[in-house]
Amino acid sequence: MAVEPVVYGASDRPPRGDYARASGDYTCPQNYAAYSAADHDTYRRLYARQSALLPGLACDAFIAALPSLGASGAIPRFEDINTRLRKATGWEIVGVPGLIPEVPFFSLLANRKFPVTDWIRSPTEFDYIVEPDVFHDLFGHVPLLFNPVFADHMQAYGAGGLKAHGLGACEPLSRLYWYTIEFGLICQPDGLRAYGAGILSSGAELQHAVKSGAPHRLTLDVLRAMRTRYTIDSFQQSYFMIDSFQQLFDLTAPDFTPLYLQALAMPPLQAHQILASDSLITV
Ligand code: HBI
Ligand code: FE
């Protein structure tokens, strides 16, 4: 079955990935032979820069699990990661040509499969890329799939997403994903840290998200996050903080349908907006 490419946000150019390679569920085998020496070198340099930035900024669970991705000198083989990941949490990663539509995306998560884009950015996009590539998807998302509580949360999120789609409530779910899985902060005994993949895979946003005085930092309230708009082409203006992955799981694992229906019925909030009921955190 032929699948349609997915265009992200207001992007004015077609997505990079070759969607003709994908099967009906949008997955495709990792095209390992297609990587050039320059591609492997891009991954090696991204990994080296990013891993050096983590101490004091990334959460402990992420730092502990990062070596599970394997040697950092070249793009890993998804199958090698899967041998370890299946054993740790029963999750596996599957190749995709890029962003995929919400229903296949949620279906994969609900089945404990995480879609990983298989191509890598060009050297000119070393610092910033609009679409997720293999570095963002692997380095940003996969380490925490080795954490059992976080892994269970991701599955529950996928199941909730399928339900939301049936109710026309994908937008609130996307916002929650954005402010948790992509840009979430966590409070550790030794201070605030990042667990969101968009922060952890970004050279510049890591410091901004955790240490800068500029953005707002709010205690996570699921309904509040579901109402909050976001921008995809600048640092976040607001971040939401959790106390533990267990808290994230507890907030979303039961039936959280009433929350996204509630969010749909309320006006959206701007990315920088602050309400009297918000609980703000200072760093
Ligand atoms: N597809 N490959 C991929 N990766 C994502 O993170 C992703 C996606 N499709 C949809 C999607 N995310 C969003 O709708 C999330 O907000 C749910
Ligand atoms: Fe991501």
Side-chain angles (χ1 to χ4, degrees):
M1 181 184 124
V3 295
E4 292 294 315
V6 179
V7 179
Y8 193 44
S11 180
D12 54 359
R13 56 180 179 75
R16 181 95 41 107
D18 174 13
Y19 286 78
R21 288 171 46 227
S23 34
D25 65 355
Y26 278 87
T27 65
C28 59
Q30 182 186 24
N31 193 355
Y32 202 83
Y35 298 133
S36 65
D39 289 338
H40 288 299
D41 195 57
T42 298
Y43 182 88
R44 181 190 62 76
R45 291 187 297 122
L46 282 166
Y47 191 113
R49 173 184 68 178
Q50 209 58 26
S51 55
L53 294 174
L54 300 178
L57 298 175
C59 70
D60 290 345
F62 182 89
I63 292 175
L66 187 61
S68 304
L69 293 185
S72 60
I75 299 168
R77 287 183 189 272
F78 295 175
E79 265 322 303
D80 291 345
I81 292 176
N82 278 339
T83 307
R84 299 184 283 271
L85 186 55
R86 282 192 204 102
K87 213 174 291 173
T89 57
W91 271 75
E92 53 184 77
I93 57 176
V94 289
V96 284
L99 287 169
I100 64 175
E102 276 149 344
V103 169
F105 179 70
F106 293 141
S107 301
L108 289 172
L109 298 185
N111 289 290
R112 295 177 91 85
K113 293 181 202 298
F114 190 82
V116 174
T117 304
D118 70 345
W119 53 265
I120 195 156
R121 68 194 71 183
S122 69
T124 55
E125 297 161 309
F126 192 79
D127 290 317
Y128 179 75
I129 177 162
V130 193
E131 294 170 85
D133 71 341
V134 68
F135 181 75
H136 166 80
D137 282 343
L138 274 186
F139 188 98
H141 288 284
V142 176
L144 286 180
L145 295 175
F146 282 84
N147 178 283
V149 180
F150 188 87
D152 284 351
H153 164 69
M154 284 292 276
Q155 180 180 17
Y157 176 85
L162 287 174
K163 205 162 167 182
H165 182 81
L167 297 166
C170 278
E171 198 169 23
L173 261 278
S174 292
R175 294 191 187 127
L176 178 65
Y177 188 88
W178 189 265
Y179 285 116
T180 56
I181 309 299
E182 294 291 353
F183 291 96
L185 300 177
I186 186 165
C187 177
Q188 285 190 179
D190 52 350
L192 199 62
R193 298 288 186 272
Y195 72 90
I199 307 176
L200 291 164
S201 64
S202 160
E205 188 148 354
L206 196 45
Q207 184 77 26
H208 173 83
V210 182
K211 296 289 182 198
S212 163
H216 302 305
R217 297 183 185 83
L218 290 76
T219 305
L220 178 66
D221 174 284
V222 175
L223 179 60
R224 172 69 167 84
M226 283 181 170
R227 292 177 61 198
T228 309
R229 289 193 164 132
Y230 57 83
T231 47
I232 63 164
D233 51 5
S234 58
F235 291 159
Q236 299 308 303
Q237 294 171 288
S238 298
Y239 297 92
F240 289 86
M241 189 203 71
I242 58 171
D243 289 321
S244 65
F245 295 134
Q246 189 63 48
Q247 180 201 12
L248 190 58
F249 180 83
D250 292 344
L251 287 172
T252 53
D255 185 3
F256 64 122
T257 314
L259 287 174
Y260 40 79
L261 293 179
Q262 233 179 305
L264 271 186
M266 297 169 88
L269 302 169
Q270 299 306 319
H272 62 269
Q273 200 171 336
I274 289 301
L275 305 175
S277 53
D278 287 336
S279 126
L280 287 167
I281 299 137
T282 48
V283 294

